[in-house]
Amino acid sequence: MAQQHGIIVLFDVENALKTRSLDGNTYWFDNMKFLGSTGVGTERLETIVPGTYFLDGSQATEQVLNWLPAALGAIPPTVPRNYLAEQERADDRRTLEELAALDSEGGVSEAEVKRLQQ
């Protein structure tokens, strides 16, 4: 029976996009710290992969490594690169529609102008 070995890499997506680098924006974890893995929670994980054995004591030929990427921050790593730009365009379109509706009504209150300026 193979042993399950979990390795998690956590990306700070927002900061990685700002700096255009993964340096300083990845954090590695595994479930083998109790066996001697070092650097858990840093960019320099040295994981321990112990040998696996069958019930009769003979050496097994496989080790199951579960790689689990995860995102830290507001933007998941699966969104397209232009996600933020598209969101800004949609927001601009909504604001223009609201301005057009106010203009067609004939009058604009001070509160509505301040809300749209924000």
Side-chain angles (χ1 to χ4, degrees), residues 1-5 32 34-35 47-55 57-65:
M1 179 77 167
Q3 181 176 350
Q4 297 288 318
H5 186 105
M32 296 296 165
F34 70 97
L35 290 176
T47 189
I48 299 295
V49 181
T52 56
Y53 299 90
F54 292 116
L55 292 176
S58 61
Q59 181 74 41
T61 58
E62 60 186 32
Q63 177 75 29
V64 177
L65 301 177

Side-chain angles (χ1 to χ4, degrees), residues 68-95:
L68 307 166
L72 172 68
I75 306 169
T78 56
V79 299
R81 286 186 174 187
N82 63 346
Y83 172 77
L84 292 176
E86 290 297 324
Q87 293 301 314
E88 290 297 323
R89 285 188 197 110
D91 188 46
D92 290 345
R93 280 192 293 272
R94 281 191 297 274
T95 302

Side-chain angles (χ1 to χ4, degrees), residues 95 98-99 102 109-118:
T95 302
E98 289 178 18
L99 282 172
L102 291 174
S109 72
E110 185 73 26
E112 289 172 317
V113 170
K114 286 189 180 196
R115 182 181 63 83
L116 290 173
Q117 286 174 340
Q118 292 176 351

Side-chain angles (χ1 to χ4, degrees), residues 30-47:
D30 73 353
N31 61 343
M32 296 296 165
K33 186 174 182 180
F34 70 97
L35 290 176
S37 290
T38 60
V40 174
T42 69
E43 290 183 281
R44 306 222 185 281
L45 174 68
E46 291 184 22
T47 189

